Amino acid sequence: MNEIDFNLLYEPWIMVIDEKGITQEMSLIDTLTQAHKIKTIAGETSTQDIAILRLLLAVLYSIYLRTDSDGTISELSDEDDAIERWNKLWKKGKFILEHISDYLVKYKDRFWLFHPKEPFYQAPIGKGTPYSSSKLIGDLSESGNKLRLFSNRNGKGKTEISFAEAARWLLHLNAFDDTSSKPTVRGGDLPSPGVGWLGKLGLIFAEGNNLFETLMLNFVMTDHNGEPFPKGRAFWESDINTLERVGVPLPENPVELLTLQSRRILLKRAENHVTGYLLMGGDIVQRENALTEQMTVWKQDKEGDWLPKRHDPSRLMWRDFSALLSSAEGSFKPGVVRWTSLLVMEDLLPYDFITFKITGIKYADKDFFAEDTIEDGMTFNAELLGDLGESWIYRISDVIERTEKSISNFGCFAQNLSVESGNDSEVKNLRFVSASAKDLAYFHLDNPFRRWLYSINPESDDEEEKLNEWTGYVYSVLVDDLGKQLVENAGIKAMVGRDLDKNSFSWYRLFRNSVRKALKGD
């Protein structure tokens, strides 16, 4: 068995869908240089795909923050310089083989998946928490004492995985690992690493028509102050660190966050398969004001610090419209949204519409294990990101708040009808009734809202007319459709009621009036 094996620059391992719709594995160099012919990265999970996308972005930062689009060494001087360089790259429509290959070949020895001293995205550690390959597989994520009840794999499919698949899950593990691993020294002063860096974020990214465009849309070249990022060093340009649970300063350059080693990992293999790995906590970056990170949604705490806002799988993406797009006081745009807005205002994007997607993992039990994968997307007129869009974004955010208040009123209405029907009035049961009713309302409004948002044209539509179109639809669904259905389903007992002024009809009238007020903003 070779000590040095499987070089990721040349071996096929990144799973993609090409322009013909065919799924295949490609090497790192081929993925970048053929990105214009690739529809999208298409691995086992969306969280695995974002981990690989960030690796590809790290390569672009390592090359094009240092050299111009023609390969000439040149540092960026200001925002205009950054925009000009980005535009030159965009106009080429593809990444140049010589630029990609010449850079990566210099670090060829750092891209061996198996290497005695410098294995890719790993550390030559001799201790740590041992895991089998079933814990490495992110869509399975089993531990020795917690098995998946229903699994899409069994037998050797869980215990032995190919080098190519192991490389994909290696990136995923470093990015999204849970907190189940133990420190190697008990009773010491080692800090808690928390989940992997990407597990702490509310990940968001822009999606183009092909992988080249997707990479370019997320290739943010200036910080939130409009200053070009300083040069940084990717993992493969730095010495390997084997120290456990080390607090490190916030990187000033995205490339160092894109390749942050949240874990010290060493893959174990038998012949041509990976069978497990050793794991320790790695580099720890504080979340507070980590504004170098360009691919997360933000929230502000009571102290005024900005923290990554994890996604909630129970919340549809459009409900966080304001957090994603608003420039109002008390909000902070994700870097990829800010950069795309800048490109729109500079008239550099040939798109009528833009798509943003979110992904992430919902953890349970103090982040001790992964519970769910989060995926969602939103497409809207690109002009909403331009000068014309500021007023629209404020008004759309406001109408979403009104919609949510109306749906909350619908949940209360369902509770009242449930009590009138003689059902259990314990708080926990009423909460369940309310939550179920609100879920039903969001289900009926989800696709219509997305279609309505997509239909908005800031250049030609009248704001008031368009907003009234939506609030009228919400009223129709909640009051005329779902509200009347609840009254009918509540039955005779609720119609009679507990006394003369409390029955399903009186509750319906109160509900109808509450929705009218909520949608008017009263």
Side-chain angles (χ1 to χ4, degrees):
M1 186 165 59
N2 296 327
E3 277 191 295
I4 299 177
D5 204 354
F6 204 81
N7 194 287
L8 302 181
L9 299 185
Y10 309 110
E11 297 282 357
W13 65 282
I14 299 175
M15 195 175 294
V16 303
I17 297 177
D18 67 19
E19 56 190 347
K20 296 179 181 179
I22 298 172
T23 301
Q24 59 178 302
E25 290 179 339
M26 300 181 72
S27 69
L28 180 56
I29 289 178
D30 285 346
T31 299
L32 282 166
T33 57
Q34 299 297 314
H36 57 294
K37 296 181 180 180
I38 295 171
K39 181 65 177 175
T40 187
I41 303 170
E44 283 79 0
T45 66
S46 62
T47 47
Q48 184 194 91
D49 295 343
I50 195 69
I52 292 174
L53 181 72
R54 287 170 67 93
L55 171 68
L56 301 178
L57 282 169
V59 176
L60 299 185
Y61 276 104
S62 299
I63 297 172
Y64 293 114
L65 280 188
R66 303 166 180 172
T67 62
D68 204 342
S69 58
D70 61 2
T72 304
I73 296 176
S74 174
E75 293 189 16
L76 297 171
S77 57
D78 54 28
E79 186 173 70
D80 290 339
D81 194 16
I83 292 172
E84 182 180 1
R85 181 172 301 183
W86 186 95
N87 193 34
K88 286 180 180 178
L89 289 168
W90 177 266
K91 286 182 175 179
K92 288 182 182 295
K94 63 180 181 180
F95 300 119
I96 306 304
L97 174 60
E98 290 77 11
H99 298 173
I100 301 298
S101 183
D102 287 353
Y103 168 75
L104 287 174
V105 167
K106 289 190 298 185
Y107 300 97
K108 179 180 69 175
D109 288 342
R110 294 297 301 273
F111 284 85
W112 292 104
L113 188 63
F114 300 101
H115 191 284
K117 295 181 179 180
E118 299 177 323
F120 178 77
Y121 257 55
Q122 300 166 74
I125 54 177
K127 58 183 179 179
T129 305
Y131 292 103
S132 68
S133 58
S134 61
K135 183 69 164 58
L136 177 64
I137 301 169
D139 60 353
L140 184 64
S141 192
E142 290 184 352
S143 63
N145 58 6
K146 184 176 179 60
L147 301 179
R148 281 289 179 92
L149 187 58
F150 301 104
S151 172
N152 58 355
R153 302 186 187 220
N154 53 49
K156 288 188 176 181
K158 293 197 298 184
T159 60
E160 297 180 356
I161 57 177
S162 69
F163 291 168
E165 185 179 359
R168 297 192 293 271
W169 288 126
L170 172 66
L171 292 178
H172 185 273
L173 178 67
N174 180 65
F176 291 100
D177 186 40
D178 56 37
T179 61
S180 61
S181 66
K182 303 294 191 296
T184 59
V185 179
R186 300 297 178 91
D189 295 327
L190 291 175
S192 171
V195 295
W197 178 247
L198 298 198
K200 298 174 182 178
L201 307 180
L203 284 162
I204 180 171
F205 65 100
E207 184 178 64
N209 295 319
N210 55 47
L211 181 56
F212 169 80
E213 292 186 1
T214 296
L215 286 165
M216 288 299 297
L217 290 174
N218 295 283
F219 186 26
V220 181
M221 299 184 74
T222 61
D223 64 18
H224 60 284
N225 293 317
E227 296 294 329
F229 290 111
K231 291 184 294 186
R233 300 178 68 190
F235 168 76
W236 50 84
E237 296 178 326
S238 307
D239 294 335
I240 288 182
N241 191 340
T242 59
L243 297 178
E244 182 177 9
R245 302 191 180 199
V246 180
V248 298
L250 174 69
E252 297 180 353
N253 185 292
V255 70
E256 295 176 10
L257 272 181
L258 291 169
T259 61
L260 182 72
Q261 299 299 290
S262 296
R263 297 294 187 266
R264 312 283 186 235
I265 305 166
L266 185 63
L267 296 178
K268 300 296 183 181
R269 62 171 172 160
E271 297 182 351
N272 295 321
H273 295 89
V274 170
T275 58
Y277 61 97
L278 279 178
L279 182 139
M280 297 192 310
D283 296 334
I284 304 170
V285 172
Q286 294 300 315
R287 297 178 303 144
E288 291 82 3
N289 301 314
L291 302 181
T292 308
E293 178 55 62
Q294 301 300 302
M295 302 177 76
T296 187
V297 183
W298 298 96
K299 63 180 179 180
Q300 196 169 30
D301 66 13
K302 295 179 180 179
E303 287 71 38
D305 292 324
W306 290 104
L307 299 172
K309 181 183 178 183
R310 281 178 167 180
H311 300 307
D312 181 348
S314 68
R315 286 181 65 86
L316 300 164
M317 182 178 177
W318 55 263
R319 293 177 63 188
D320 290 319
F321 184 86
S322 179
L324 300 178
L325 301 181
S326 178
S327 300
E329 185 177 351
S331 61
F332 194 89
K333 281 185 182 179
V336 293
V337 177
R338 175 189 57 80
W339 180 253
T340 308
S341 299
L342 182 60
L343 298 176
V344 170
M345 287 187 282
E346 294 289 336
D347 199 25
L348 296 181
L349 289 182
Y351 295 151
D352 291 328
F353 295 90
I354 189 73
T355 296
F356 287 98
K357 291 189 172 182
I358 62 172
T359 188
I361 288 179
K362 169 70 165 59
Y363 299 90
D365 191 20
K366 298 181 180 179
D367 295 346
F368 196 71
F369 62 92
E371 186 176 60
D372 197 5
T373 299
I374 302 164
E375 297 180 63
D376 202 353
M378 188 167 63
T379 302
F380 51 85
N381 194 299
E383 288 300 324
L384 284 175
L385 296 176
D387 293 328
L388 286 173
E390 287 190 19
S391 175
W392 277 97
I393 288 171
Y394 172 80
R395 298 294 300 278
I396 293 170
S397 300
D398 178 61
V399 86
I400 289 173
E401 287 186 16
R402 297 190 212 173
T403 300
E404 291 187 310
K405 186 175 181 180
S406 299
I407 292 175
S408 180
N409 291 341
F410 180 66
C412 292
F413 175 53
Q415 287 181 330
N416 291 327
L417 287 187
S418 180
V419 173
E420 266 338 305
S421 299
N423 294 324
D424 192 341
S425 59
E426 285 191 17
V427 172
K428 64 178 182 180
N429 293 318
L430 290 179
R431 285 177 178 170
F432 175 78
V433 169
S434 176
S436 298
K438 289 189 285 187
D439 285 346
L440 178 66
Y442 280 117
F443 174 80
H444 281 273
L445 292 174
D446 182 24
N447 284 332
F449 179 86
R450 295 172 194 271
R451 290 194 296 269
W452 175 76
L453 181 64
Y454 185 87
S455 73
I456 293 174
N457 186 337
E459 293 183 324
S460 60
D461 288 339
D462 178 79
E463 280 187 25
E464 204 65 37
E465 182 179 318
K466 202 67 181 174
L467 295 168
N468 288 339
E469 176 187 317
W470 174 248
T471 55
Y473 184 81
V474 173
Y475 182 88
S476 174
V477 170
L478 293 182
V479 176
D480 296 335
D481 296 338
L482 298 180
K484 289 181 179 179
Q485 285 179 24
L486 281 187
V487 171
E488 183 177 339
N489 294 338
I492 298 296
K493 191 172 183 179
M495 289 183 185
V496 175
R498 291 171 295 172
D499 50 53
L500 291 177
D501 62 345
K502 285 188 178 180
N503 55 47
S504 56
F505 298 112
S506 63
W507 286 120
Y508 178 77
R509 287 193 296 271
L510 289 172
F511 163 63
R512 181 182 59 196
N513 292 336
S514 73
V515 172
R516 283 176 179 163
K517 290 181 179 180
L519 292 176
K520 287 181 180 179
D522 295 340

